[in-house]
Amino acid sequence: MTKKRVLSGIQPTGNLHLGNYLGSIRNWVEHQHNYENYFCVVDLHAITAPHDPQTLAENSYTIAALYLACGISLEHASIFIQSHIPAHSELTWLLNCVTPLNWLQDMIQFKEKAIKQGENVNVGLLDYPVLMAADILLYQADEVPVGEDQKQHLELTRDIAARFNHQFAKKQPVFKLPHALIQADGARIMSLTDGTRKMSKSDPSDLSRINLLDSPDLIEKKIKKCKTDLERGLTFEASLQGRGSANDRPECRNLLTLYMLMSGKSKETVAAECQDLGWGQFKPLLTEATIEHLRPIQAKYQEVMTDKTYLASILESGRDRAATIADRTLAEVKSALGFSQVGS
Ligand code: AQP
């Protein structure tokens, strides 16, 4: 039986943090043996915000190396860099011409990032979800494992695919409609300095996130300084009650979730262990669990980065495998749209 296909990616816009890891990469790793996987570094997305050309290529390599360090296996996955396959940009243009403008203007992430970027908002930022749709649809992906923040973009991808199929597919659909794969726990990891905002690479404060490559000392410092509340006794249930009200404890909920996922303990075990703890007792537990969870990832990362020629060869063969599928889909799309073919 052929395996279902998975496509996902991360932008090289800064240091990967626990949100990217728990919302995305961890799930890729956990389920990789069940699927035919394509994991890319989405560098074309990275230039929708102001970026530094001096570091873009290096950041892309770092992210690819982290995929491997976190446990992505070449037996199950192809790893590649988005801009190495021109079909991503070409399909974006074609999809732009079937996507209504108001669908893009409704995207929450566009509105949030447009506010953050002030006067620096380019057309690419508005078009970001169409590029993401092209990434996914080129590979006829069945499933797309993402954090909760990307759910709306996944729905848009399905809408664009359905619209294209309806308008242009003759006998059978050109695009498969993909599904979002969102984990119950870790789908939305919050900032360490404000439990109501998501942990994000672009937060100006590095204290708001734990990066996968942070040293043990830095992890300890960030957890020591992280925002908590005045209550004693940490429970998942109590913090869930009163969500959004004055009694809400978003930091408590977030830090307990981080502890559960970093330690690998069950929710019940963590709830029992932490129900009578104060923050001063809890923080060292979270620090220790985080350092220990990241230790093998950091060691493997150093190993991968010592042989950049090998990393480059992985990205080259990943590109070749991915391009075969992407070019096939692009040819079908152009044919459905009525473009002339070479020699016709
Ligand atoms: N806080 C989060 N909790 C859970 N999942 C998250 N993801 C991001 N933040 C969290 C998931 O990580 C994947 C890659 O994200 P991305 O780099 O493509 O863009 P993003 O969602 O915009 O990530 P950031 O860190 O917030 O970057 P900036 O600050 O540059 O915008 C996605 O699957 C995402 O869901």
Side-chain angles (χ1 to χ4, degrees), residues 243-327:
R243 197 169 195 158
S245 75
N247 300 325
D248 197 13
R249 300 179 67 193
E251 286 80 21
C252 181
R253 193 160 56 234
N254 189 44
L255 294 171
L256 279 189
T257 302
L258 279 181
Y259 180 52
M260 174 179 81
L261 297 172
M262 288 292 99
S263 66
K265 293 177 182 173
S266 69
K267 204 169 202 164
E268 294 70 32
T269 306
V270 169
E273 187 182 354
C274 301
Q275 61 185 343
D276 298 321
L277 296 186
W279 289 112
Q281 295 160 298
F282 172 76
K283 283 185 173 186
L285 297 178
L286 176 59
T287 303
E288 179 70 12
T290 306
I291 291 171
E292 287 314 312
H293 192 103
L294 295 184
R295 195 186 297 283
I297 293 175
Q298 295 182 351
K300 178 78 184 167
Y301 172 79
Q302 296 305 340
E303 193 187 311
V304 174
M305 287 307 263
T306 54
D307 192 352
K308 285 209 179 157
T309 314
Y310 177 58
L311 182 58
S313 75
I314 289 174
L315 293 172
E316 209 177 302
S317 47
R319 179 204 60 198
D320 292 347
R321 277 194 297 275
T324 306
I325 302 174
D327 291 345

Coordinates of all heavy atoms in Angstrom, one line a residue, residues 243-327:
R243 N -10.8 30.7 31.7 CA -10.0 31.2 30.6 C -10.4 32.5 30.1 O -11.6 32.7 29.9 CB -10.1 30.1 29.5 CG -9.0 30.2 28.5 CD -9.0 29.0 27.6 NE -7.7 29.0 26.9 CZ -7.2 27.9 26.3 NH1 -7.8 26.8 26.4 NH2 -6.1 28.0 25.7
G244 N -9.5 33.4 30.0 CA -9.8 34.8 29.5 C -10.4 35.7 30.6 O -10.5 36.9 30.3
S245 N -10.7 35.2 31.8 CA -11.2 36.0 32.8 C -10.1 36.5 33.7 O -8.9 36.1 33.5 CB -12.2 35.3 33.6 OG -11.5 34.4 34.5
A246 N -10.4 37.2 34.8 CA -9.4 37.7 35.7 C -8.7 36.6 36.4 O -7.6 36.7 36.9 CB -10.0 38.6 36.7
N247 N -9.4 35.4 36.5 CA -8.8 34.2 37.2 C -7.9 33.4 36.4 O -7.4 32.4 36.8 CB -10.0 33.3 37.7 CG -10.9 34.0 38.7 OD1 -10.4 34.9 39.4 ND2 -12.2 33.7 38.6
D248 N -7.9 33.7 35.1 CA -7.1 32.9 34.2 C -5.6 32.9 34.6 O -5.1 33.9 35.0 CB -7.3 33.4 32.7 CG -6.9 32.4 31.7 OD1 -6.7 31.2 32.1 OD2 -6.7 32.8 30.5
R249 N -5.0 31.7 34.3 CA -3.5 31.6 34.6 C -2.8 31.1 33.4 O -2.3 29.9 33.3 CB -3.4 30.6 35.8 CG -4.1 31.1 37.0 CD -3.9 30.1 38.2 NE -2.5 30.1 38.7 CZ -2.0 29.1 39.5 NH1 -2.8 28.2 39.9 NH2 -0.8 29.2 39.8
P250 N -2.7 31.9 32.3 CA -2.1 31.4 31.1 C -0.7 31.0 31.2 O -0.3 30.0 30.6 CB -2.2 32.6 30.1 CG -2.4 33.8 31.0 CD -3.1 33.3 32.2
E251 N 0.1 31.6 32.1 CA 1.5 31.3 32.2 C 1.6 29.9 32.9 O 2.4 29.1 32.5 CB 2.2 32.3 33.1 CG 2.5 33.6 32.4 CD 1.4 34.6 32.3 OE1 0.4 34.4 33.1 OE2 1.4 35.5 31.4
C252 N 0.7 29.7 33.9 CA 0.7 28.4 34.6 C 0.4 27.2 33.6 O 1.1 26.2 33.5 CB -0.3 28.4 35.7 SG -0.4 26.9 36.6
R253 N -0.6 27.5 32.8 CA -1.0 26.4 31.8 C 0.2 26.2 30.8 O 0.5 25.0 30.5 CB -2.2 27.0 31.0 CG -2.9 26.0 30.2 CD -4.3 26.5 29.8 NE -4.4 27.8 29.2 CZ -5.1 28.9 29.6 NH1 -5.8 28.8 30.7 NH2 -5.1 30.0 29.0
N254 N 0.8 27.2 30.4 CA 1.9 27.1 29.4 C 3.1 26.4 30.0 O 3.7 25.5 29.4 CB 2.3 28.5 28.9 CG 3.2 28.4 27.7 OD1 3.1 27.7 26.8 ND2 4.3 29.3 27.8
L255 N 3.5 26.8 31.2 CA 4.7 26.2 31.8 C 4.5 24.7 32.2 O 5.4 23.9 32.0 CB 5.2 27.1 33.0 CG 5.6 28.5 32.6 CD1 5.8 29.3 33.8 CD2 6.9 28.5 31.7
L256 N 3.3 24.4 32.6 CA 3.0 23.0 32.9 C 3.0 22.2 31.6 O 3.6 21.0 31.6 CB 1.7 22.8 33.6 CG 1.6 23.1 35.1 CD1 0.2 22.7 35.6 CD2 2.7 22.4 35.9
T257 N 2.5 22.7 30.6 CA 2.5 22.0 29.3 C 4.0 21.8 28.8 O 4.3 20.7 28.4 CB 1.7 22.8 28.2 OG1 0.4 23.0 28.7 CG2 1.7 22.1 26.9
L258 N 4.8 22.8 29.0 CA 6.2 22.7 28.6 C 6.9 21.6 29.4 O 7.6 20.8 28.9 CB 6.9 24.0 28.8 CG 6.8 25.1 27.7 CD1 7.6 26.3 28.1 CD2 7.2 24.6 26.4
Y259 N 6.6 21.6 30.7 CA 7.2 20.6 31.6 C 6.8 19.2 31.2 O 7.6 18.3 31.1 CB 6.8 20.9 33.1 CG 7.4 19.9 34.0 CD1 8.8 19.6 34.0 CD2 6.6 19.2 35.0 CE1 9.4 18.7 34.9 CE2 7.2 18.3 35.8 CZ 8.5 18.0 35.8 OH 9.1 17.1 36.6
M260 N 5.5 19.0 30.9 CA 5.0 17.7 30.5 C 5.7 17.3 29.2 O 6.2 16.1 29.1 CB 3.4 17.9 30.2 CG 2.8 16.6 29.7 SD 1.0 16.9 29.4 CE 1.0 17.8 27.9
L261 N 5.8 18.2 28.2 CA 6.4 17.7 26.9 C 7.9 17.6 27.0 O 8.5 16.7 26.4 CB 6.0 18.8 25.9 CG 4.5 18.8 25.6 CD1 4.1 20.0 24.7 CD2 3.9 17.5 25.0
M262 N 8.5 18.4 27.8 CA 10.0 18.3 27.9 C 10.4 17.0 28.8 O 11.4 16.4 28.5 CB 10.6 19.5 28.6 CG 10.6 20.8 27.7 SD 11.7 20.7 26.3 CE 10.7 20.2 25.0
S263 N 9.6 16.7 29.8 CA 10.0 15.6 30.6 C 9.5 14.3 30.1 O 10.0 13.2 30.5 CB 9.4 15.8 32.0 OG 8.0 15.7 31.9
G264 N 8.5 14.3 29.1 CA 7.9 13.1 28.6 C 7.0 12.4 29.6 O 6.5 11.3 29.4
K265 N 6.6 13.1 30.7 CA 5.7 12.6 31.6 C 4.2 12.8 31.2 O 4.0 13.7 30.4 CB 5.9 13.2 33.0 CG 7.2 12.9 33.6 CD 7.4 13.6 35.0 CE 8.7 13.4 35.6 NZ 9.0 14.2 36.7
S266 N 3.3 12.0 31.7 CA 1.9 12.1 31.3 C 1.3 13.4 32.0 O 1.9 13.8 33.0 CB 1.1 10.9 31.7 OG 1.0 10.8 33.1
K267 N 0.2 13.8 31.5 CA -0.5 14.9 32.1 C -0.9 14.6 33.6 O -0.7 15.5 34.5 CB -1.8 15.2 31.3 CG -2.3 16.6 31.4 CD -3.4 16.9 30.4 CE -3.5 18.4 30.1 NZ -4.2 18.7 28.9
E268 N -1.3 13.4 33.8 CA -1.7 13.0 35.2 C -0.6 13.0 36.1 O -0.7 13.5 37.2 CB -2.3 11.6 35.1 CG -3.7 11.4 34.4 CD -3.5 11.5 32.9 OE1 -2.4 11.2 32.3 OE2 -4.4 12.0 32.2
T269 N 0.6 12.5 35.6 CA 1.8 12.5 36.5 C 2.2 13.9 36.8 O 2.5 14.2 38.0 CB 2.9 11.8 35.8 OG1 2.5 10.5 35.4 CG2 4.2 11.6 36.7
V270 N 2.2 14.8 35.8 CA 2.6 16.2 36.1 C 1.7 16.9 37.0 O 2.0 17.6 38.0 CB 2.8 17.0 34.7 CG1 2.9 18.5 35.0 CG2 3.9 16.4 33.9
A271 N 0.4 16.6 36.8 CA -0.7 17.3 37.7 C -0.5 16.8 39.1 O -0.5 17.7 40.0 CB -2.1 16.9 37.2
A272 N -0.2 15.5 39.3 CA 0.0 15.0 40.7 C 1.3 15.6 41.3 O 1.3 16.0 42.5 CB 0.1 13.5 40.7
E273 N 2.3 15.7 40.5 CA 3.6 16.1 41.0 C 3.6 17.6 41.3 O 4.3 18.1 42.3 CB 4.7 15.9 39.9 CG 6.1 16.2 40.3 CD 7.1 15.9 39.1 OE1 6.7 15.5 38.0 OE2 8.3 16.3 39.3
C274 N 2.8 18.4 40.6 CA 2.9 19.9 40.7 C 1.8 20.5 41.5 O 1.8 21.7 41.8 CB 3.0 20.5 39.4 SG 4.4 20.0 38.4
Q275 N 0.8 19.7 42.0 CA -0.4 20.3 42.6 C -0.1 21.2 43.8 O -0.8 22.1 44.1 CB -1.5 19.3 42.8 CG -1.1 18.2 43.8 CD -2.2 17.1 43.9 OE1 -3.3 17.3 43.5 NE2 -1.8 16.0 44.5
D276 N 0.9 20.8 44.6 CA 1.2 21.6 45.8 C 2.5 22.4 45.7 O 2.9 23.0 46.7 CB 1.4 20.6 47.0 CG 0.1 19.8 47.2 OD1 -1.0 20.4 47.1 OD2 0.2 18.6 47.5
L277 N 3.0 22.5 44.5 CA 4.3 23.2 44.4 C 4.1 24.7 44.2 O 3.1 25.2 43.7 CB 5.1 22.7 43.1 CG 5.6 21.3 43.1 CD1 6.4 21.0 41.9 CD2 6.3 20.9 44.4
G278 N 5.1 25.4 44.7 CA 5.2 26.9 44.4 C 6.2 27.0 43.2 O 6.9 26.1 42.8
W279 N 6.2 28.3 42.7 CA 7.0 28.5 41.5 C 8.5 28.2 41.7 O 9.2 27.8 40.9 CB 6.8 29.9 40.9 CG 5.5 30.1 40.3 CD1 4.4 30.9 40.8 CD2 5.0 29.5 39.1 NE1 3.3 30.7 40.0 CE2 3.6 29.9 38.9 CE3 5.5 28.6 38.2 CZ2 2.9 29.5 37.9 CZ3 4.7 28.2 37.1 CH2 3.4 28.6 37.0
G280 N 9.0 28.6 42.9 CA 10.4 28.4 43.3 C 10.8 26.9 43.2 O 11.9 26.6 43.0
Q281 N 9.8 26.0 43.5 CA 10.1 24.6 43.5 C 10.0 24.1 42.0 O 10.7 23.1 41.6 CB 9.2 23.8 44.4 CG 9.3 24.1 45.8 CD 8.1 23.7 46.6 OE1 7.0 24.3 46.4 NE2 8.2 22.8 47.5
F282 N 9.0 24.6 41.3 CA 8.7 24.1 40.0 C 9.8 24.5 38.9 O 10.2 23.7 38.1 CB 7.4 24.7 39.5 CG 7.0 24.3 38.1 CD1 6.6 23.1 37.7 CD2 7.1 25.3 37.1 CE1 6.4 22.8 36.4 CE2 6.9 25.1 35.8 CZ 6.5 23.8 35.4
K283 N 10.3 25.7 39.0 CA 11.2 26.2 37.9 C 12.4 25.4 37.7 O 12.8 25.1 36.6 CB 11.5 27.7 38.2 CG 10.4 28.6 37.8 CD 10.8 30.1 37.9 CE 9.8 31.0 37.4 NZ 10.2 32.4 37.4
P284 N 13.1 24.9 38.8 CA 14.3 24.0 38.6 C 13.9 22.7 37.9 O 14.7 22.2 37.1 CB 14.8 23.7 40.0 CG 14.3 24.9 40.9 CD 12.9 25.3 40.3
L285 N 12.7 22.2 38.2 CA 12.2 21.0 37.5 C 12.1 21.2 36.0 O 12.6 20.4 35.2 CB 10.9 20.5 38.0 CG 10.8 20.1 39.5 CD1 9.4 19.7 39.9 CD2 11.7 18.9 39.8
L286 N 11.5 22.3 35.6 CA 11.3 22.6 34.2 C 12.7 22.9 33.6 O 12.9 22.4 32.4 CB 10.4 23.9 34.1 CG 10.2 24.4 32.6 CD1 9.6 23.3 31.7 CD2 9.3 25.7 32.6
T287 N 13.6 23.6 34.3 CA 14.9 23.9 33.7 C 15.6 22.6 33.4 O 16.2 22.4 32.3 CB 15.7 24.7 34.8 OG1 15.0 25.9 35.1 CG2 17.1 25.0 34.3
E288 N 15.6 21.7 34.4 CA 16.4 20.4 34.2 C 15.8 19.6 33.1 O 16.5 19.1 32.2 CB 16.2 19.6 35.6 CG 16.9 18.3 35.6 CD 18.4 18.4 35.6 OE1 18.9 19.5 35.8 OE2 19.1 17.3 35.4
A289 N 14.5 19.5 33.0 CA 13.8 18.7 32.0 C 14.1 19.3 30.6 O 14.4 18.5 29.6 CB 12.3 18.6 32.2
T290 N 14.1 20.6 30.5 CA 14.4 21.3 29.2 C 15.8 21.0 28.8 O 16.1 20.7 27.6 CB 14.1 22.8 29.3 OG1 12.7 22.9 29.8 CG2 14.2 23.5 28.0
I291 N 16.7 21.2 29.7 CA 18.2 21.1 29.3 C 18.4 19.6 28.9 O 19.1 19.4 27.9 CB 19.1 21.4 30.6 CG1 19.0 22.9 30.8 CG2 20.5 21.0 30.3 CD1 19.7 23.4 32.1
E292 N 17.8 18.7 29.6 CA 18.1 17.3 29.3 C 17.4 16.9 28.0 O 18.0 16.1 27.2 CB 17.6 16.3 30.4 CG 18.4 16.4 31.6 CD 19.9 16.2 31.3 OE1 20.3 15.4 30.5 OE2 20.7 17.1 31.9
H293 N 16.2 17.5 27.7 CA 15.6 17.1 26.4 C 16.4 17.7 25.2 O 16.5 17.0 24.2 CB 14.1 17.7 26.4 CG 13.3 17.2 25.3 ND1 12.3 16.3 25.5 CD2 13.3 17.5 24.0 CE1 11.7 16.0 24.3 NE2 12.3 16.8 23.4
L294 N 16.9 18.9 25.4 CA 17.6 19.5 24.3 C 19.1 19.0 24.1 O 19.7 19.2 23.1 CB 17.6 21.0 24.4 CG 16.2 21.7 24.4 CD1 16.3 23.2 24.4 CD2 15.5 21.3 23.1
R295 N 19.6 18.4 25.2 CA 21.1 18.0 25.1 C 21.4 17.1 23.9 O 22.3 17.5 23.1 CB 21.4 17.3 26.4 CG 22.9 17.2 26.6 CD 23.3 16.3 27.9 NE 22.8 16.8 29.1 CZ 23.4 17.8 29.8 NH1 24.5 18.4 29.3 NH2 22.9 18.3 30.9
P296 N 20.7 16.0 23.7 CA 21.0 15.2 22.5 C 20.8 15.9 21.1 O 21.5 15.7 20.2 CB 20.1 14.0 22.6 CG 19.1 14.3 23.6 CD 19.6 15.4 24.5
I297 N 19.8 16.8 21.1 CA 19.5 17.5 19.9 C 20.7 18.5 19.6 O 21.2 18.5 18.4 CB 18.2 18.3 20.0 CG1 17.0 17.4 20.1 CG2 18.0 19.3 18.9 CD1 15.7 18.0 20.4
Q298 N 21.2 19.1 20.6 CA 22.3 20.1 20.4 C 23.6 19.3 20.0 O 24.4 19.8 19.2 CB 22.5 20.9 21.7 CG 21.3 21.8 22.0 CD 21.5 22.6 23.3 OE1 22.4 22.5 24.0 NE2 20.6 23.6 23.5
A299 N 23.8 18.1 20.6 CA 25.0 17.4 20.3 C 25.0 16.9 18.8 O 25.9 17.0 18.1 CB 25.1 16.2 21.2
K300 N 23.8 16.4 18.4 CA 23.6 16.0 17.0 C 23.8 17.1 16.0 O 24.4 17.0 15.0 CB 22.3 15.3 16.9 CG 21.9 14.8 15.5 CD 22.6 13.5 15.2 CE 22.3 13.1 13.8 NZ 22.9 12.1 13.1
Y301 N 23.3 18.3 16.4 CA 23.4 19.5 15.6 C 24.9 19.8 15.3 O 25.3 20.1 14.2 CB 22.7 20.7 16.2 CG 23.0 22.0 15.5 CD1 22.3 22.3 14.3 CD2 23.9 22.9 16.0 CE1 22.5 23.5 13.7 CE2 24.2 24.1 15.3 CZ 23.5 24.4 14.2 OH 23.7 25.5 13.5
Q302 N 25.7 19.8 16.4 CA 27.1 20.1 16.3 C 27.8 19.1 15.3 O 28.6 19.5 14.5 CB 27.8 20.0 17.6 CG 27.4 21.1 18.7 CD 27.5 22.5 18.1 OE1 28.2 22.8 17.2 NE2 26.7 23.4 18.7
E303 N 27.4 17.8 15.4 CA 27.9 16.8 14.6 C 27.6 17.1 13.1 O 28.5 17.0 12.2 CB 27.3 15.5 15.1 CG 28.0 14.2 14.5 CD 27.1 13.0 15.0 OE1 26.7 12.9 16.2 OE2 26.8 12.2 14.1
V304 N 26.3 17.4 12.8 CA 25.9 17.6 11.5 C 26.7 18.8 10.9 O 27.1 18.8 9.7 CB 24.4 17.9 11.4 CG1 23.9 18.3 10.0 CG2 23.6 16.6 11.8
M305 N 26.8 19.9 11.7 CA 27.4 21.1 11.2 C 28.9 21.0 10.9 O 29.5 21.8 10.3 CB 27.2 22.3 12.1 CG 25.7 22.7 12.1 SD 25.1 23.1 10.4 CE 25.3 24.9 10.4
T306 N 29.6 19.9 11.5 CA 31.0 19.7 11.2 C 31.2 19.2 9.8 O 32.4 19.3 9.3 CB 31.7 18.7 12.1 OG1 30.9 17.5 12.1 CG2 31.7 19.2 13.6
D307 N 30.2 18.7 9.1 CA 30.4 18.2 7.7 C 29.4 18.9 6.8 O 28.4 18.3 6.4 CB 30.3 16.7 7.7 CG 30.7 16.1 6.4 OD1 31.0 16.9 5.5 OD2 30.8 14.9 6.3
K308 N 29.7 20.1 6.4 CA 28.7 20.9 5.6 C 28.6 20.3 4.2 O 27.6 20.5 3.5 CB 29.1 22.3 5.6 CG 28.8 23.0 6.9 CD 28.5 24.5 6.6 CE 28.2 25.2 7.9 NZ 28.4 26.6 7.9
T309 N 29.6 19.6 3.7 CA 29.6 19.0 2.4 C 28.5 17.9 2.4 O 27.7 17.8 1.4 CB 30.9 18.4 2.0 OG1 31.9 19.3 2.4 CG2 31.0 18.1 0.6
Y310 N 28.5 17.2 3.5 CA 27.5 16.1 3.6 C 26.1 16.7 3.6 O 25.1 16.3 2.9 CB 27.7 15.2 4.8 CG 26.7 14.2 5.1 CD1 26.5 13.2 4.1 CD2 26.0 14.1 6.3 CE1 25.5 12.2 4.3 CE2 25.0 13.2 6.5 CZ 24.8 12.2 5.5 OH 23.8 11.2 5.8
L311 N 25.9 17.8 4.4 CA 24.6 18.5 4.5 C 24.2 19.0 3.2 O 23.0 18.8 2.7 CB 24.7 19.6 5.5 CG 23.5 20.4 5.8 CD1 22.3 19.5 6.3 CD2 23.7 21.5 6.8
A312 N 25.1 19.5 2.4 CA 24.8 20.1 1.1 C 24.4 18.9 0.2 O 23.4 19.1 -0.6 CB 26.0 20.8 0.5
S313 N 25.0 17.7 0.3 CA 24.6 16.6 -0.6 C 23.2 16.1 -0.2 O 22.4 15.7 -1.1 CB 25.7 15.5 -0.5 OG 25.5 14.8 0.7
I314 N 22.9 16.2 1.1 CA 21.5 15.8 1.5 C 20.5 16.7 0.9 O 19.4 16.3 0.3 CB 21.4 15.8 3.0 CG1 22.2 14.7 3.7 CG2 19.9 15.7 3.5 CD1 22.3 14.7 5.2
L315 N 20.8 18.0 0.9 CA 19.9 19.0 0.3 C 19.7 18.9 -1.2 O 18.7 19.1 -1.8 CB 20.3 20.4 0.7 CG 20.2 20.7 2.3 CD1 20.8 22.0 2.6 CD2 18.7 20.6 2.7
E316 N 20.8 18.5 -1.8 CA 20.8 18.3 -3.3 C 20.0 17.1 -3.7 O 19.1 17.2 -4.6 CB 22.3 18.1 -3.7 CG 22.5 18.6 -5.1 CD 24.0 18.4 -5.5 OE1 24.8 19.0 -4.8 OE2 24.3 17.7 -6.5
S317 N 20.1 16.0 -3.0 CA 19.3 14.8 -3.4 C 17.9 15.1 -3.0 O 16.9 14.6 -3.7 CB 19.9 13.5 -2.8 OG 20.2 13.6 -1.5
G318 N 17.6 15.8 -1.8 CA 16.3 16.1 -1.4 C 15.6 17.0 -2.5 O 14.5 16.7 -2.9
R319 N 16.4 17.9 -3.0 CA 15.8 18.8 -4.1 C 15.5 18.0 -5.3 O 14.4 18.2 -5.9 CB 16.9 19.9 -4.4 CG 16.4 20.8 -5.6 CD 17.6 21.4 -6.3 NE 18.4 20.4 -6.9 CZ 19.7 20.6 -7.3 NH1 20.2 21.8 -7.1 NH2 20.4 19.6 -7.8
D320 N 16.3 17.1 -5.7 CA 16.1 16.3 -6.9 C 14.8 15.5 -6.8 O 14.0 15.4 -7.7 CB 17.3 15.4 -7.2 CG 18.5 16.2 -7.6 OD1 18.3 17.4 -7.9 OD2 19.6 15.6 -7.7
R321 N 14.6 14.8 -5.6 CA 13.4 14.0 -5.4 C 12.2 14.9 -5.4 O 11.2 14.6 -6.0 CB 13.5 13.2 -4.1 CG 14.3 11.9 -4.3 CD 14.1 11.0 -3.1 NE 14.6 11.6 -1.8 CZ 15.8 11.6 -1.4 NH1 16.7 10.9 -2.1 NH2 16.2 12.2 -0.3
A322 N 12.3 16.0 -4.7 CA 11.1 16.9 -4.6 C 10.8 17.5 -5.9 O 9.6 17.6 -6.3 CB 11.4 18.0 -3.6
A323 N 11.8 17.9 -6.7 CA 11.6 18.6 -8.0 C 10.8 17.7 -9.0 O 10.0 18.2 -9.8 CB 12.9 19.1 -8.6
T324 N 11.1 16.4 -8.9 CA 10.4 15.5 -9.8 C 8.9 15.6 -9.7 O 8.1 15.7 -10.6 CB 10.9 14.1 -9.6 OG1 12.3 14.0 -9.6 CG2 10.3 13.1 -10.5
I325 N 8.4 15.6 -8.4 CA 7.0 15.7 -8.1 C 6.5 17.1 -8.4 O 5.4 17.3 -9.1 CB 6.7 15.4 -6.7 CG1 7.2 14.0 -6.3 CG2 5.2 15.4 -6.4 CD1 7.1 13.6 -4.9
A326 N 7.2 18.1 -8.0 CA 6.8 19.5 -8.2 C 6.6 19.8 -9.7 O 5.6 20.4 -10.1 CB 7.8 20.5 -7.5
D327 N 7.6 19.4 -10.5 CA 7.5 19.8 -11.9 C 6.3 19.1 -12.6 O 5.7 19.6 -13.5 CB 8.9 19.4 -12.6 CG 10.0 20.3 -12.1 OD1 9.7 21.4 -11.5 OD2 11.2 20.0 -12.4

